[in-house]
Amino acid sequence: MSELKLPTFADVVAASERIAGVAHATPVLTSSTADAELGAEVFFKCENFQRMGAFKFRGGYNALARFTPEQRKAGVVAFSSGNHAQAIALSARLMQIPATIVMPHDAPAAKVAATRGYGAQVVIYDRYTEDREQIGRDLAIKHGLTLIPPYDHADVIAGQGTAAKELFEEVGRLDYVFAPLGGGGLLSGTALATRALSPSAKLFGVEPEAGNDGQQSFRSGSIVHIDTPKTIADGAQTQHLGNITFPIIQRDVDDILTASDEELRAAMRFFAERMKMVVEPTGCLGFAAARAMNAQLQGKRVGIIISGGNIDIARYAELLAQ
Ligand SMILES: *Cc1c(COP(=O)(O)O)cnc(C)c1O
């Protein structure tokens, strides 16, 4: 077996230096209504206010900033229909690196337009008949591009960990931390920061109830693969954790929890009504899970990562109205 080198907190610190002045140091917001509801002191780290609308800019930018001159010249390729695509496209534009993004034919027009708007070349594939990883790998080989995956990459993980690092630096130690979980880039990065800066905090990853592969993996001790889950949390529709994210999660995370679509809608409504914030369904996972365990949080200091705010406005209105 090949040696897998896991990123460490030192890599998170290095990432925070690379993204300084480029990524936003997003605000940590509080809500007396949330505090009263949970009987706790709640700190929301608001990555919905990050550049391009989600924490993914941190990992994408950090990964590209580590390219050699040769890699920069040849360019980057990524496959994603969501926030990772925009993160890579924007980071590449800022560093003048050519970017190719492989997106499914049924990706929302707004997301394709946003990715093109950042200057990336978009390659469309048919999600039912073609294999995006194969297309990505073929492009990488043919044009000498470097492939940056959405979560299972040490530089991506280290970049994502900078959000939690900023949270602890701003508010100090916490008793509980909640982070959304898809493929585990955000959660494993958050874990590195938590174990270094607030070691005794209980750290929970939260995934959609319909796709609890992470919970199954965590509890069984090996990576479980599932079919693409049906959930409104489209940023966490991943089918499995990664070979790098899983061992970090196993080592440093206390448990994986789930939230239902109904709980996500209720949390979206809370953020809209009480905090005047647009949060995408996936971004609501942490708060939804914290609300469900309220008695346990009495008198505690609780950190919640709101991971993103990208949602089509008509879809947003529809979900709030349900
Ligand atoms: C990608 C994404 C997630 C999940 O992140 P992973 O690193 O895949 O676990 C959560 N929320 C939002 C908004 C995302 O874009």
Side-chain angles (χ1 to χ4, degrees), residues 118-195:
Y118 290 131
Q121 196 195 334
V122 174
V123 172
I124 301 288
Y125 76 101
D126 184 330
R127 90 154 86 217
Y128 300 103
T129 61
E130 294 178 291
D131 175 1
R132 66 179 192 172
E133 303 199 13
Q134 190 60 48
I135 294 173
R137 274 194 300 268
D138 288 349
L139 283 166
I141 291 166
K142 192 161 164 218
H143 304 290
L145 311 180
T146 302
L147 180 69
I148 299 295
Y151 54 86
D152 210 26
H153 187 289
D155 298 332
V156 171
I157 293 166
Q160 317 308 30
T162 60
K165 175 176 176 285
E166 288 171 10
L167 172 62
F168 294 121
E169 285 170 351
E170 184 162 341
V171 307
R173 290 189 180 207
L174 295 168
D175 300 309
Y176 285 83
V177 178
F178 296 84
L181 170 61
L186 178 63
L187 181 59
S188 55
T190 299
L192 298 176
T194 303
R195 292 304 158 236

Side-chain angles (χ1 to χ4, degrees), residues 53-56 82-84 150-151 160 180-187 235-236 238 280 282-283 285 307-309:
F55 71 91
K56 290 228 172 50
N83 289 329
H84 179 62
Y151 54 86
Q160 317 308 30
L181 170 61
L186 178 63
L187 181 59
T238 37
E280 62 182 280
T282 315
L285 283 163
S307 53

Side-chain angles (χ1 to χ4, degrees), residues 59-278:
Y61 191 89
N62 185 51
L64 265 59
R66 300 209 58 198
F67 275 21
T68 64
E70 291 72 29
Q71 286 177 304
R72 284 179 190 239
K73 191 147 172 285
V76 60
V77 59
F79 41 80
S80 163
S81 55
N83 289 329
H84 179 62
Q86 291 176 63
I88 292 296
L90 173 58
S91 303
R93 192 191 65 184
L94 294 171
M95 286 180 253
Q96 298 177 325
I97 295 172
T100 304
I101 310 292
V102 182
M103 300 180 93
H105 67 285
D106 56 353
K111 290 209 164 155
V112 177
T115 306
R116 286 209 173 104
Y118 290 131
Q121 196 195 334
V122 174
V123 172
I124 301 288
Y125 76 101
D126 184 330
R127 90 154 86 217
Y128 300 103
T129 61
E130 294 178 291
D131 175 1
R132 66 179 192 172
E133 303 199 13
Q134 190 60 48
I135 294 173
R137 274 194 300 268
D138 288 349
L139 283 166
I141 291 166
K142 192 161 164 218
H143 304 290
L145 311 180
T146 302
L147 180 69
I148 299 295
Y151 54 86
D152 210 26
H153 187 289
D155 298 332
V156 171
I157 293 166
Q160 317 308 30
T162 60
K165 175 176 176 285
E166 288 171 10
L167 172 62
F168 294 121
E169 285 170 351
E170 184 162 341
V171 307
R173 290 189 180 207
L174 295 168
D175 300 309
Y176 285 83
V177 178
F178 296 84
L181 170 61
L186 178 63
L187 181 59
S188 55
T190 299
L192 298 176
T194 303
R195 292 304 158 236
L197 301 177
S198 186
S200 61
K202 285 214 179 314
L203 172 60
F204 297 110
V206 188
E207 63 188 350
E209 194 174 80
N212 72 333
D213 61 287
Q215 188 177 60
Q216 293 181 46
S217 304
F218 187 81
R219 294 178 183 180
S220 73
S222 63
I223 299 174
V224 172
H225 290 242
I226 59 167
D227 290 336
T228 300
K230 247 187 94 125
T231 166
I232 60 171
D234 58 354
Q237 281 179 308
T238 37
Q239 295 171 270
H240 56 87
L241 299 177
N243 293 321
I244 307 175
T245 60
F246 181 56
I248 299 172
I249 289 169
Q250 260 191 317
R251 185 190 65 199
D252 290 342
V253 172
D254 289 281
D255 202 3
I256 309 293
L257 311 172
T258 63
S260 69
D261 281 2
E262 190 48 51
E263 291 171 317
L264 296 179
R265 269 197 299 274
M268 270 174 73
R269 219 171 283 130
F270 178 93
F271 288 131
E273 283 180 350
R274 299 293 176 172
M275 299 179 73
K276 319 303 166 195
M277 298 198 292
V278 175

